[in-house]
Amino acid sequence: MSLTAGIVGLPNVGKSTLFNAITNSRIEAANYPFATIEPNVGVVEVKDERLDQLSALFEPKKTIYTTFEFTDIAGLVKGASKGEGLGNKFLANIREVDAICHVVRCFEDSDITHVLEGIDPIRDIEIINYELIMADLATAETRLSKTQKKVETTKEKNALKEYELLKRIKDVLNEGKLIKTMDLDEEEVEILRQYHFLTLKPVIYVANIKDEEVNEPLLNEHYKKVVEYAKNEGSEVLAISAKLEEDLSDLDKEEKKAFLLDLGIKRSGLDELIFKAYHLLGLATFFTVGKDECRGWTFKIGMKAPECAGIIHTDFQKGFIRAEVYTYEDIMEYKSEARLKEVGKLRLEGKDYVAKDGDIMHFRFNV
């Protein structure tokens, strides 16, 4: 599945440094605004310990992790919604992503300039949120005008519902609030999906802190303010040292493991971010296993077995007959598919089966 999280923030907050760590690439991370002009896209592996254990059990020729996509979007500035900086282009890039990772600077460093005076993460968050709100307000007003004409000429019921919803959206945005703070039902969310509203997208605030604070981020007063702000908004927060993550990305697997152990950290901030972004979008993983290959596959929670089969190949979905399914926990306990059959833990599921995270599936199909 191709879903993307966009990394946003003011210039010089650590976005590109974090992106370097995410992709182990070396895009420009210059100490001046607009160092990033075109959005950089990086595909990362979703490191899953379950797949490591499955590979140890089945000993396949190759192991393939499922992947997730991050886009590094150039730094926004105040007035972006009116075209300041390279605002309109940046806002268009954000519109194309499914979730937002909003990097906020929570560290002091006189050698790294800030586009505004002093370090104030809440001010920085509100600047970007204001620009997103203004961009959404322009979208809502344009669509509201078109929908009003349609209601007046056709009296269509669906058009009237859309018109009333857009009026509510406009009022909320005019109050300086985000659309996602509204109480919307599933039908209303579906209506709004076509407009790609920026303030409806789920957000993770990434608090960029100093290396020495990684183990105890609550010692950072800036971080605590971001946590409180996000709580009121219903968003998530993750404390990361972007520079530390970039340094870690230069190490091999064993060196990285040893380094994290020395720091007293079980999992890197980068891995935490990937998992948070993954689950923020309602994604999960099923596995296919065998001597040739053990592989993770991303699916949207709520998908049925034929749709999951289609992720592997469209023919699997078209000719779907049934799926052989068992759980990760069961194969770890019984150690072989033959034993799972003996104890009745291997099931045959039909077209209505809703896949679960950690399912191991073999699809039977006929085209």
Side-chain angles (χ1 to χ4, degrees), residues 18 27 38 74 206 239 282 301 326:
L18 179 60
I27 61 170
E38 295 297 330
V206 181
I301 292 172
Y326 55 87

Side-chain angles (χ1 to χ4, degrees), residues 26-199:
R26 286 294 174 267
I27 61 170
E28 188 175 13
N31 183 25
Y32 55 88
F34 313 126
T36 308
I37 305 301
E38 295 297 330
N40 296 274
V41 178
V43 178
V44 294
E45 291 181 330
V46 180
K47 298 297 184 183
D48 195 318
E49 293 177 2
R50 295 173 299 179
L51 186 57
D52 293 334
Q53 294 298 321
L54 289 170
S55 292
L57 182 63
F58 286 89
E59 299 181 335
K61 294 175 183 175
K62 56 184 176 179
T63 299
I64 303 175
Y65 295 92
T66 188
T67 59
F68 189 78
E69 197 171 279
F70 283 93
T71 300
D72 179 42
I73 298 170
L76 285 168
V77 294
K78 192 173 183 179
S81 58
K82 297 178 182 177
E84 292 295 324
L86 295 173
N88 290 331
K89 189 171 184 179
F90 297 166
L91 291 168
N93 289 333
I94 298 171
R95 207 175 294 281
E96 293 172 5
V97 303
D98 302 288
I100 295 173
C101 296
H102 186 160
V103 182
V104 187
R105 181 169 168 176
C106 293
F107 67 90
E108 307 275 352
D109 190 333
S110 58
D111 292 331
I112 301 176
T113 59
H114 194 292
V115 289
L116 302 170
E117 288 187 13
I119 305 303
D120 185 345
I122 304 306
R123 173 203 61 198
D124 295 355
I125 288 171
E126 289 182 342
I127 285 173
I128 287 189
N129 280 350
Y130 175 81
E131 298 305 328
L132 301 184
I133 287 168
M134 289 298 101
D136 277 355
L137 186 57
T139 299
E141 288 174 340
T142 299
R143 187 62 200 182
L144 196 57
S145 177
K146 292 179 180 178
T147 308
Q148 183 176 9
K149 291 175 184 176
K150 188 175 181 180
V151 169
E152 291 171 349
T153 55
T154 67
K155 309 295 182 185
E156 189 180 300
K157 185 179 179 181
N158 287 342
L160 180 60
K161 180 159 189 166
E162 184 177 344
Y163 175 72
E164 293 298 332
L165 176 58
L166 287 168
K167 280 206 317 187
R168 284 171 54 207
I169 294 289
K170 182 182 174 182
D171 289 342
V172 166
L173 292 169
N174 273 321
E175 291 173 8
K177 297 178 182 177
L178 310 178
I179 296 173
K180 68 177 182 177
T181 62
M182 296 174 64
D183 185 17
L184 300 168
D185 61 34
E186 288 184 17
E187 186 181 357
E188 289 171 329
V189 171
E190 193 58 39
I191 290 171
L192 296 179
R193 201 180 305 280
Q194 60 186 308
Y195 305 129
H196 303 286
F197 281 119
L198 304 174
T199 64

